Amino acid sequence: MSGQQQRIVVLGAGYAGLGAARRLASKARGAAITVVDTRAEFVERVRLHQAAAGQSIRRWDLRELLERKGVEFVRAQVTALDPVAKQVYLDGEWAIGYDTLVYALGSAADRAGVPGVAEYAHSVAVPEDIRALPAGPVVVVGAGSTGIELAAELAESHRDSRVTLLGSEEPGSWLSARAAEHIRTALTALGVEIRSGVKVAEVLPEGVRLVDGTVLPAAAVVWTAGFTVPDLARRAGLDVDEQGRIRTDATLRSISHPAIYAAGDAALIDGPGDRPLRMACATALPAGAYVAKAIVARADGIEPKPMTFRYQLQCVSLGRRDAVIQFLHADDSPATRVVRGRTGAWVKERIVRFAGRAAGLR
């Protein structure tokens, strides 16, 4: 960057925020870059189901990770945003100013809407959610990728526990028939009881009650059915969708406040097939990298080309020795090719490690 030193603040040190900060550190010449996050450590979100099953997963010190790249790290809670004054308020007490803001605050488990979830259910959406599950039967609610991976990991790690997976649809129903069939076969082989076409009406201290009145007893209920994003952008008056995600233009700038870029789960980004990009590490990393590229280009007086993205793969682990790798068309619809079994597990692990390198962890 040329001219007066630019102040770039990145909110959030997840995949999108770290991806943006990493590229800005190497490309935004002379800029003062600050990353703000409530956590002192980075934990790979795509491994949280492993941690929930009692496995040890690696943690990275964010201050050490960022400061060795010349990026300032501030551990604080973002409590307010003033896009007119271009200030971010931290811990309700002090503020830092910015010229350009990268909003990458991510998402958390949606614990509203169904009675009892907030009070009694566990979740695996963020590191703070992870705590030891009591011994006994476990009910996993939500048959999406997170629910599938968690159910498989729990069943494989705790053979003496009964694991039930509940979902409104079949596990893997959004994938190809071949992939979905393998997921069901693998879960069944691990001893997971699958109940599809059901909906939870209430989470109880001792289990769940379905809409048909059936009560399923459990020592622990883990809620994986949906995510929510912070309401910071909405409170600040930015243009957001009904979930609170920042509406962005083709260069990932806020359509209402162009000094703010958004990436990751808290951003509404147009994707292929006229659908928003789904919340995923696979979309957060390229979005974060693109945001940095766009910021650098504009600082140099160059209008960046619109972000382009195509889906490649979706990976679903089924314990430590099995996984499904679903190849995708550009618009996220499933292609014919599927890799399964031990080869799939090997590919999944390599992809997770690659994501870590892309975020600057290795």
Side-chain angles (χ1 to χ4, degrees):
M1 288 183 178
S2 58
Q4 185 177 358
Q5 185 181 49
Q6 296 293 300
R7 299 170 301 169
I8 303 173
V9 174
V10 180
L11 302 183
Y15 286 106
L18 287 181
R22 173 178 176 268
R23 184 167 292 234
L24 286 166
S26 63
K27 301 295 184 181
R29 298 181 299 276
I33 304 164
T34 302
V35 173
V36 180
D37 199 280
T38 58
R39 303 180 183 101
E41 298 176 318
F42 176 85
V43 178
E44 292 170 294
R45 190 174 190 176
V46 292
R47 294 193 190 275
L48 289 180
H49 60 285
Q50 295 177 238
Q55 299 169 29
S56 177
I57 61 175
R58 186 175 174 183
R59 297 170 179 268
W60 285 263
D61 183 284
L62 281 169
R63 189 176 304 280
E64 178 184 335
L65 188 70
L66 290 164
E67 290 187 352
R68 73 187 184 200
K69 301 178 187 298
V71 176
E72 180 187 14
F73 174 66
V74 175
R75 186 185 181 190
Q77 175 72 44
V78 182
T79 52
L81 168 63
D82 185 340
V84 177
K86 293 186 176 180
Q87 288 191 315
V88 177
Y89 293 87
L90 306 176
D91 293 332
E93 299 177 356
W94 56 294
I96 57 174
Y98 64 86
D99 298 302
T100 300
L101 183 74
V102 179
Y103 190 101
L105 289 176
S107 62
D110 185 357
R111 304 177 72 85
V114 174
V117 173
E119 294 84 1
Y120 305 122
H122 298 249
S123 62
V124 291
V126 294
E128 293 78 21
D129 292 338
I130 306 304
R131 59 188 191 274
L133 298 178
V138 178
V139 169
V140 178
V141 183
S145 295
T146 303
I148 292 168
E149 292 191 326
L150 177 63
E153 211 72 53
L154 290 171
E156 184 178 80
S157 299
H158 306 284
R159 289 288 187 174
D160 55 343
S161 294
R162 187 174 78 249
V163 179
T164 302
L165 178 63
L166 306 181
S168 58
E169 297 183 347
E170 279 284 312
S173 61
W174 68 97
L175 302 174
S176 67
R178 186 178 174 208
E181 180 183 3
H182 182 77
I183 288 171
R184 173 172 271 279
T185 299
L187 289 173
T188 302
L190 287 169
V192 176
E193 179 186 0
I194 301 169
R195 292 201 179 193
S196 302
V198 300
K199 186 175 181 180
V200 173
E202 183 181 7
V203 177
L204 308 169
E206 68 282 357
V208 298
R209 181 171 59 83
L210 305 182
V211 293
D212 65 2
T214 302
V215 173
L216 300 179
V221 175
V222 188
W223 194 265
T224 71
F227 295 88
T228 186
V229 303
D231 67 347
L232 180 72
R234 188 192 306 278
R235 289 190 284 111
L238 276 70
D239 194 329
V240 299
D241 71 354
E242 62 279 0
Q243 291 181 268
R245 296 180 296 176
I246 295 178
R247 297 184 187 274
T248 64
D249 66 13
T251 63
L252 305 199
R253 288 197 302 186
S254 162
I255 63 172
S256 59
H257 295 80
I260 298 175
Y261 292 75
D265 291 358
L268 183 67
I269 301 172
D270 288 337
D274 296 322
R275 292 185 296 176
L277 294 185
R278 57 178 160 86
M279 295 180 177
C281 165
T283 56
L285 277 168
Y290 173 84
V291 160
K293 181 179 178 180
I295 291 170
V296 172
R298 286 200 168 101
D300 290 338
I302 301 170
E303 184 62 21
K305 295 180 180 179
M307 177 182 169
T308 58
F309 179 87
R310 66 147 294 152
Y311 290 96
Q312 303 283 348
L313 304 167
Q314 185 165 10
C315 309
V316 181
S317 65
L318 298 163
R320 296 296 86 209
R321 296 180 293 276
D322 195 356
V324 162
I325 310 299
Q326 173 71 68
F327 284 75
L328 302 171
H329 297 297
D331 65 354
D332 204 23
S333 60
T336 303
R337 188 180 178 193
V338 175
V339 177
R340 303 167 294 175
R342 289 184 179 272
T343 301
W346 184 88
V347 172
K348 169 74 186 292
E349 179 62 25
R350 296 308 177 276
I351 290 172
V352 170
R353 294 184 184 187
F354 172 81
R357 287 195 297 271
L361 302 182
R362 298 175 175 86

